[in-house]
Amino acid sequence: CGSDNLINCMTGCLLHGRYHEMAPNIVPMDYTKDPDVKLPIQLIINMPELKENPFKERIVEAFSEDGDGNLSFNDFVDMFSVLSEMAPRELKAIYAFKIYDFNTDNFICKSDLEKTLNKLTREELTAEEITLVCEKVIEEADMDGDGKLAFADFENMISKAPDFLRYKNCLKNYQMFFLYIFCSSWKDDGLAKC
Amino acid sequence: MNDSDGESEAGEAASGKKKRDKKASSKDQKEAENKEKQTNKKGKEQDKKQKKSPAESSSSSSASNSSDEESLSEEELTRLKEQVEEKKKLISTMRNKPWRMVKKLALLREAQAFVEKFEGALGKGKGKKFYAYKMMMAKKWVKFKRDFDNFKTQCIPWEMKIKEVESHFGSSVASYFIFLRWMYGVNLVLFGLIFGLVIIPEILMGIPYGSIPRKTVPRAEQATAMDFSVLWDFEGYIKYSALFYGYYNNQRTIGWLKYRLPMAYFMVGVSVFGYSLMVVIRSMARNANENTGDGDDNNFTFSWKMFTSWDYLIGNPETADNKFASITTSFKESIVDEQESNKDENIHLRRFLRVLANVLIICCLCGSGYLIYFVVKRSQTFSKMQNIGWYERNEVEIVMSLLGMFCPPLFETIAALEEYHPRIGLKWQLGRIFALFLGNLYTFLLALMDDVNEKLTEEVVIKNITHWTLLNYYNSSAMNDSAVTLPPMDPADMPRGPCWETTVGIEFVRLTVSDILVTYVTILVGDFIRACFVRFVNYCWCWDLEAGFPSYAEFDISGNVLGLIFNQGMIWMGSFYAPGLVGINVLRLLTSMYFQCWAVMSSNVPHERVFKASKSNNFYMGLLLLILFLSLLPVAYTIMSLPPSFDCGPFSGKKKMYDVIQETIKQDFPLFVAKIFSYVANPGLIIPAVLLMVLAIYYLNAVAEAYQHANTELKKKMQLQRDEEKNKRNNKATTSSAVQDLDDLLVPSAKSESQPKPTEGKTYERDFCHSSGQLHLYFPSVGPANTPTLRLPRARHAFLSPCAQVSPS
């Protein structure tokens, strides 16, 4: 366990370093006083890990407290920990649902599906193809017949997917062994230890 | 007992921690990290702990505990050990548990403290170090395995290239390149076998060039032996080199290693076929395995594509572009599949058109077959005439090339009548072109056999001549000067037999080389030049070249696959007579990969209807197997029945080529081995063995069919369950026809009672039992609404005693 925590510390420092370098003027090096600093969404979606992701805005919005993409450091660490390899599947499913729910009404409706599809294919499909795919998705996954996907439907479908967990929903750059537990302890002078 | 004290203290400490709020517990967490970060200096830790508040109770107890180790009994030790193991497991799996942060932190703290305290007690210090060492090695091993797996994946050649092609052109085009890569691997192994066991020993340990007649260019040809045109035809110095059969000497052993070259040559020839057969069949079996392995994945195709296809690891813009293209292509493929299954059809018209198309194509095939036969007959009469022009000499090749060029597009246009799904249409196209190319093969082999027979008759004549020449040479010398013995005749002057094996080998090599050239030129002109033309001349042309004729070429999957398969057939046929042929093929496949990848990416456009490749490659493998057998037959025939040339090759002087085996057994193995072999070769033993194998095949076939039957039954059951669940959720009445029929039989009052109440989660069985006492029906039962997992055991239980079921738990 000793080496794990060492790595925790290191990754924590790395993360804080990354957070800091995005806006050195705003982000303090010392977090003992628990400063209330939030970075705007524009800075975060330019990170190399997220830059090429078609859902980058939605990801950042899903982890921000107010839903408009401004992340405090805790949210930042939260985001990386959920996206890491080590986060459990149930948690990933919850956040995936949040990400794909564009209009934040706790349902993935047809328009959400259309937006998702357009982002995935960079709008290369024709309108009829898009309607066909969205209808097929609703037909396959919707269990209660209301024409949109509730979280239960989504979870049911994603739990059977072979690819969902393995490296497809993870960011590999940060090998966070125990980060999930670690994130809240940054409230105190975690930096002084590193 | 002290340990119980320790435990209660730890319990107190743990519960105390649990009461605290998040901030303080994180402080403890930090302390724990602090403590563990430093090396195992227990004293220092204890000091630190004593400074902070409640954590010290556990450490002081651990201090007191260590003094009491001796008083721990055996069972307590094992019990403690188990507990420690449990806590350790909890710590290592903590990250996967979906609990709230506070809970996790508290449990972690407790577990770590427990482990700290008692591990030392158990291991008495040294044990702990060893345990830590073991843990570290285990972790390193896991990491090493993972890195090695990653490395292995990276080592697969051309993976990125093929992925790029796949993302732009779809999986069916990529399947051709995967097939090409697989062939390259097989050829590489064959090349290693032949090169290492036949060619290298001959070059290193055999007698050198020029020492015996078979290794020397005859006097008459020496003047032109180095000319490029002669070399291009594989005559001259190339003909008398280790690349061809004729070069090898028939000495039983060569060199200081006593390497048995003729035996090795024979065995390598046989094992080339054996290995190829094994590899093809293993590949087919593996594909069949994967095919039946899936069960469930047709249900959520589009959903999974939409939600799980993006790869979050992508950080590179080019890779992202490829990924977008591949996702789009994949969606298009599935859409094509979906549309095909939705098309409504006029069955009769379609059937009529398909029959018509097949009739037309069979006519074409018969016509081309007859044409080939006619042309071959004519060429045989031509070869007997004297002044034949260039056209007559090459008529056969010209006709074959023309057929190969025009028939496939003709088949494709006729096949447009059939309106198959593109995947199936591809298979038909492949089959038809295969039949066409078989005619090709037939003429080639026929010509070759004629040649061989001719050479065999010639050989008898030359044998006589050689004999007399030698006799005269020595006689004349004897007459002139009896004292001096003349040196043996210069090898270049010896009259040489026609050596049909080398001729056959040369034919195959020539065919392969011309095939390579034709393919590359076709790609260059048909794809690249055409693309350049369309792109650049479009500006000053009357109609839109890109949209109309000729436009950009699509990648011709069937033509390329068949070309590859037939090429491999040629290699298999020719490798016995020209060991160097496999090396040429390896080079060809290597350059082909790069050249064709480049050509596809630069000059081709994706198919209009991009379709998914079939899940298994078994169709290609099946064709390959067929060709393997077809190419085994001529080689086996020549080995078994034709006599080897008398003055060239490793089997010269023997009556039949396989005599080398008998010779080896007699001379090199102990006596009883020869006896065993003679018994084994007895027909009385072989026929029962063959019978036994046939019976085994029949039995295995029956077993496989039974398994498949069981598989389909299970699938049907699962589908039924799923449908029932779905209907339950949708508050719909059941769609199962059997249940619907039964529904009608029910009395109306019973029916109202047995309306499905999905919100309560009751089972159907209960309702039916209450209403219609004796009715024991099989119904799938549904648990709570959120767990739609398969419930076969419960269903079975329900079937046995439906009324006993009280609550769905």
Side-chain angles (χ1 to χ4, degrees):
Chain A
C1 262
S3 60
D4 271 356
N5 275 316
L6 188 60
I7 294 181
N8 288 342
C9 244
M10 276 168 50
T11 40
C13 291
L14 277 171
L15 264 188
H16 190 264
R18 293 293 301 275
Y19 193 68
H20 175 80
E21 80 189 6
M22 281 197 285
N25 323 330
I26 316 180
V27 174
M29 282 302 288
D30 181 8
Y31 253 75
T32 37
K33 294 172 193 64
D34 202 3
D36 183 19
V37 172
K38 291 197 177 188
L39 289 186
I41 185 173
Q42 307 306 327
L43 286 176
I44 303 189
I45 59 179
N46 280 329
M47 289 182 72
E49 290 85 358
L50 288 176
K51 209 166 47 153
E52 299 299 331
N53 197 319
F55 300 113
K56 52 193 178 207
E57 292 96 356
R58 280 302 305 154
I59 294 176
V60 178
E61 282 166 16
F63 283 97
S64 65
E65 276 177 36
D66 45 8
D68 59 7
N70 302 317
L71 295 185
S72 69
F73 184 63
N74 279 331
D75 299 332
F76 188 71
V77 172
D78 250 339
M79 176 171 81
F80 274 95
S81 86
V82 170
L83 288 174
S84 81
E85 304 175 337
M86 299 294 154
R89 167 184 271 234
E90 295 82 358
L91 203 57
K92 282 192 194 285
I94 294 175
Y95 277 99
F97 186 76
K98 273 174 95 167
I99 288 173
Y100 293 124
D101 181 10
F102 279 75
N103 50 10
T104 54
D105 59 352
N106 283 336
F107 286 101
I108 296 184
C109 60
K110 200 137 179 267
S111 68
D112 292 332
L113 290 174
E114 282 175 11
K115 290 207 193 82
T116 310
L117 194 55
N118 274 328
K119 280 205 191 285
L120 268 180
T121 58
R122 279 187 183 162
E123 297 171 24
E124 292 247 343
L125 297 181
T126 67
E128 352 165 306
E129 289 171 340
I130 294 182
T131 0
L132 176 66
V133 172
C134 295
E135 276 169 17
K136 280 299 291 182
V137 171
I138 304 242
E139 186 192 314
E140 286 170 356
D142 185 18
M143 289 288 150
D144 47 18
D146 54 359
K148 45 193 181 175
L149 305 183
F151 178 66
D153 305 329
F154 183 78
E155 224 267 320
N156 170 42
M157 177 263 296
I158 224 82
S159 62
K160 301 193 174 116
D163 276 338
F164 183 61
L165 197 54
R166 269 186 321 138
Y167 292 104
K168 281 231 174 147
N169 262 311
C170 317
L171 300 174
K172 197 164 72 166
N173 288 343
Y174 292 94
Q175 302 280 329
M176 320 200 161
F177 293 106
F178 228 171
L179 190 67
Y180 189 60
I181 292 194
F182 186 66
C183 27
S184 68
S185 70
W186 274 114
K187 298 263 172 78
D188 303 332
D189 53 346
L191 275 177
K193 302 292 181 278
C194 292
Chain B
M1 286 285 294
N2 270 338
D3 59 335
S4 57
D5 275 351
E7 270 178 334
S8 59
E9 282 183 47
E12 263 178 28
S15 55
K17 278 166 217 142
K18 276 186 186 141
K19 286 183 207 144
R20 242 169 278 123
D21 63 351
K22 200 162 151 193
K23 202 154 188 175
S25 68
S26 57
K27 220 182 198 171
D28 288 337
Q29 165 72 356
K30 243 185 320 105
E31 288 165 30
E33 288 151 25
N34 254 344
K35 175 176 67 180
E36 279 142 23
K37 240 196 302 174
Q38 296 151 19
T39 49
N40 294 333
K41 296 170 195 161
K42 266 195 176 160
K44 204 172 173 181
E45 286 169 9
Q46 286 180 4
D47 284 348
K48 271 211 156 177
K49 273 185 238 159
Q50 270 146 22
K51 279 187 208 144
K52 322 271 182 204
S53 38
E56 60 194 347
S57 54
S58 53
S59 51
S60 56
S61 59
S62 76
S64 58
N65 236 6
S66 47
S67 59
D68 293 315
E69 298 150 359
E70 300 85 8
S71 56
L72 291 172
S73 67
E74 263 310 305
E75 343 169 317
E76 279 152 357
L77 258 176
T78 39
R79 192 167 48 93
L80 264 179
K81 225 178 198 159
E82 276 170 36
Q83 281 177 327
V84 168
E85 286 304 317
E86 213 182 283
K87 294 284 181 197
K88 276 205 194 125
K89 200 164 155 231
L90 180 66
I91 292 178
S92 64
T93 54
M94 186 73 83
R95 60 192 81 140
N96 292 334
K97 303 248 191 277
W99 294 327
R100 295 241 125 233
M101 199 85 74
V102 195
K103 181 174 176 191
K104 271 201 203 186
L105 276 172
L107 283 178
L108 171 73
R109 186 81 187 94
E110 178 205 344
Q112 277 177 341
F114 189 81
V115 168
E116 259 304 297
K117 188 169 66 162
F118 286 106
E119 201 170 25
L122 288 176
K124 296 191 199 349
K126 237 196 309 187
K128 184 171 185 183
K129 276 207 193 98
F130 176 68
Y131 185 78
Y133 174 74
K134 246 192 349 179
M135 277 282 97
M136 192 187 66
M137 292 313 289
K139 271 194 205 162
K140 280 212 166 107
W141 173 246
V142 166
K143 181 168 190 306
F144 172 74
K145 264 205 307 200
R146 189 160 63 171
D147 284 339
F148 187 65
D149 276 336
N150 281 347
F151 174 69
K152 264 200 305 192
T153 325
Q154 273 176 356
C155 263
I156 299 178
W158 305 310
E159 185 70 11
M160 290 318 302
K161 254 198 215 313
I162 295 185
K163 278 271 180 297
E164 208 184 328
V165 170
E166 183 171 11
S167 64
H168 288 271
F169 291 88
S171 53
S172 44
V173 171
S175 74
Y176 164 74
F177 286 100
I178 294 176
F179 188 54
L180 178 62
R181 182 176 64 187
W182 181 84
M183 287 286 240
Y184 175 70
V186 171
N187 273 289
L188 211 55
V189 172
L190 293 180
F191 175 67
L193 261 181
I194 293 185
F195 202 67
L197 293 178
V198 172
I199 298 188
I200 293 277
E202 174 65 29
I203 293 182
L204 290 181
M205 299 191 289
I207 48 186
Y209 171 83
S211 45
I212 47 175
R214 67 186 66 178
K215 299 200 182 198
T216 330
V217 179
R219 185 78 62 187
E221 294 176 23
Q222 267 181 3
T224 55
M226 253 329 237
D227 290 350
F228 181 73
S229 58
V230 165
L231 285 181
W232 185 253
D233 264 345
F234 293 96
E235 304 271 346
Y237 281 116
I238 293 193
K239 182 171 173 184
Y240 298 96
S241 72
L243 290 180
F244 290 103
Y245 176 98
Y247 185 78
Y248 295 84
N249 197 9
N250 66 340
Q251 259 177 315
R252 210 172 74 83
T253 64
I254 56 173
W256 52 274
L257 264 181
K258 298 267 184 291
Y259 188 76
R260 287 158 177 66
L261 190 66
M263 179 68 175
Y265 194 97
F266 189 82
M267 292 311 291
V268 162
V270 167
S271 61
V272 156
F273 285 103
Y275 174 76
S276 310
L277 195 61
M278 193 188 74
V279 126
V280 170
I281 293 202
R282 191 173 64 165
S283 176
M284 285 180 87
R286 211 182 284 156
N287 281 342
N289 227 4
E290 277 172 16
N291 224 6
T292 54
D294 71 13
D296 211 4
D297 64 356
N298 294 330
N299 282 355
F300 292 117
T301 338
F302 281 96
S303 315
W304 288 345
K305 270 205 213 308
M306 185 170 297
F307 294 119
T308 64
S309 56
W310 180 259
D311 186 357
Y312 279 55
L313 292 174
I314 290 180
N316 177 356
E318 268 174 35
T319 322
D321 281 339
N322 276 347
K323 190 66 181 174
F324 280 119
S326 119
I327 290 179
T328 313
T329 314
S330 163
F331 268 114
K332 291 205 167 144
E333 285 173 354
S334 298
I335 290 174
V336 164
D337 274 344
E338 184 63 29
Q339 282 171 340
E340 281 296 318
S341 66
N342 280 349
K343 263 207 302 223
D344 52 346
E345 20 179 290
N346 183 351
I347 293 198
H348 299 291
L349 181 65
R350 179 166 289 198
R351 277 207 197 129
F352 170 70
L353 285 176
R354 283 184 185 169
V355 166
L356 179 65
N358 276 318
V359 162
L360 282 175
I361 290 187
I362 291 183
C363 287
C364 283
L365 282 173
C366 290
S368 63
Y370 178 68
L371 183 62
I372 293 173
Y373 171 72
F374 174 70
V375 165
V376 166
K377 262 254 150 31
R378 250 175 42 141
S379 79
Q380 281 174 339
T381 53
F382 280 153
S383 60
K384 302 210 175 45
M385 290 170 20
Q386 287 305 86
N387 287 345
I388 42 182
W390 175 85
Y391 172 74
E392 280 85 357
R393 249 200 314 242
N394 295 328
E395 190 178 28
V396 177
E397 274 106 15
I398 293 180
V399 166
M400 305 298 307
S401 320
L402 284 177
L403 274 180
M405 228 184 325
F406 289 115
C407 278
L410 179 65
F411 289 165
E412 259 181 58
T413 39
I414 297 181
L417 278 178
E418 293 179 328
E419 289 183 26
Y420 277 124
H421 184 291
R423 191 157 54 232
I424 304 183
L426 176 66
K427 287 192 181 161
W428 277 97
Q429 178 75 355
L430 272 174
R432 288 166 184 154
I433 303 185
F434 187 80
L436 183 70
F437 282 5
L438 279 182
N440 229 343
L441 202 62
Y442 157 75
T443 56
F444 180 72
L445 283 178
L446 210 62
L448 218 53
M449 280 314 293
D450 280 343
D451 222 7
V452 167
N453 283 328
E454 208 184 280
K455 289 231 152 62
L456 278 175
T457 49
E458 209 183 300
E459 199 178 287
V460 176
V461 171
I462 296 215
K463 218 177 185 170
N464 279 337
I465 296 180
T466 320
H467 183 67
W468 283 112
T469 318
L470 262 180
L471 217 58
N472 283 337
Y473 183 70
Y474 282 116
N475 275 345
S476 63
S477 67
M479 283 198 312
N480 288 343
D481 193 337
S482 48
V484 180
T485 48
L486 271 178
M489 197 168 174
D490 188 338
D493 291 323
M494 280 284 271
R496 308 292 303 280
C499 202
W500 60 271
E501 293 99 342
T502 308
T503 320
V504 168
I506 292 181
E507 281 301 308
F508 276 108
V509 173
R510 273 197 207 140
L511 185 68
T512 307
V513 168
S514 74
D515 191 41
I516 296 175
L517 287 176
V518 166
T519 315
Y520 284 10
V521 167
T522 316
I523 294 180
L524 209 55
V525 170
D527 286 353
F528 182 64
I529 304 276
R530 172 171 160 180
C532 287
F533 179 73
V534 168
R535 167 71 72 86
F536 296 119
V537 176
N538 203 15
Y539 295 121
C540 45
W541 202 262
C542 351
W543 70 85
D544 186 0
L545 287 172
E546 285 186 3
F549 177 82
S551 83
Y552 298 107
E554 287 180 352
F555 186 75
D556 178 17
I557 303 178
S558 56
N560 276 303
V561 166
L562 277 180
L564 204 59
I565 291 180
F566 271 102
N567 171 59
Q568 191 59 36
M570 294 293 125
I571 302 296
W572 277 322
M573 265 196 268
S575 65
F576 189 74
Y577 298 111
L581 186 57
V582 181
I584 297 179
N585 198 36
V586 163
L587 278 177
R588 169 231 172 96
L589 288 175
L590 189 60
T591 48
S592 236
M593 177 58 109
Y594 289 105
F595 184 57
Q596 282 191 303
C597 271
W598 165 79
V600 150
M601 293 299 290
S602 70
S603 346
N604 286 39
V605 287
H607 291 246
E608 252 179 64
R609 304 174 75 203
V610 182
F611 57 96
K612 213 181 331 199
S614 56
K615 267 191 223 152
S616 70
N617 240 358
N618 266 355
F619 189 67
Y620 297 165
M621 290 297 159
L623 288 180
L624 197 63
L625 195 62
L626 191 59
I627 282 277
L628 178 55
F629 275 119
L630 285 179
S631 51
L632 178 58
L633 290 177
V635 180
Y637 172 73
T638 49
I639 291 183
M640 289 299 161
S641 53
L642 292 182
S645 299
F646 75 99
D647 69 341
C648 67
F651 309 118
S652 59
K654 301 201 179 29
K655 283 224 187 57
K656 291 273 160 67
M657 290 191 193
Y658 57 80
D659 283 345
V660 70
I661 297 190
Q662 282 179 346
E663 203 185 280
T664 312
I665 294 180
K666 250 195 287 231
Q667 300 192 349
D668 291 331
F669 285 103
L671 211 55
F672 69 90
V673 175
K675 255 198 213 152
I676 293 180
F677 269 104
S678 67
Y679 287 149
V680 164
N682 191 349
L685 202 59
I686 291 188
I687 293 186
V690 169
L691 221 57
L692 189 66
M693 280 195 277
V694 168
L695 287 176
I697 291 177
Y698 173 72
Y699 168 73
L700 288 172
N701 207 19
V703 165
E705 265 178 31
Y707 278 142
Q708 236 171 357
H709 187 69
N711 211 4
T712 40
E713 285 297 311
L714 273 174
K715 273 195 194 155
K716 264 195 256 174
K717 249 195 221 172
M718 277 168 66
Q719 190 61 31
L720 191 66
Q721 281 232 337
R722 252 199 299 271
D723 287 340
E724 288 298 315
E725 278 172 19
K726 209 169 180 175
N727 290 329
K728 273 256 180 160
R729 286 183 204 289
N730 295 347
N731 294 345
K732 270 192 240 157
T734 175
T735 53
S736 154
S737 56
V739 178
Q740 269 175 345
D741 291 340
L742 283 170
D743 230 7
D744 296 335
L745 290 175
L746 278 181
V747 186
S749 62
K751 240 190 202 167
S752 60
E753 233 191 280
S754 63
Q755 281 305 325
K757 297 183 190 94
T759 49
E760 291 175 31
K762 282 191 197 158
T763 62
Y764 270 177
E765 301 95 320
R766 187 150 55 114
D767 297 328
F768 270 108
C769 273
H770 283 175
S771 57
S772 56
Q774 302 309 311
L775 222 54
H776 292 274
L777 290 170
Y778 164 71
F779 255 106
S781 54
V782 180
N786 282 337
T787 55
T789 52
L790 194 57
R791 290 197 181 270
L792 271 175
R794 272 179 45 106
R796 203 174 52 211
H797 179 254
F799 180 63
L800 291 176
S801 57
C803 294
Q805 198 133 20
V806 176
S807 65
S809 62

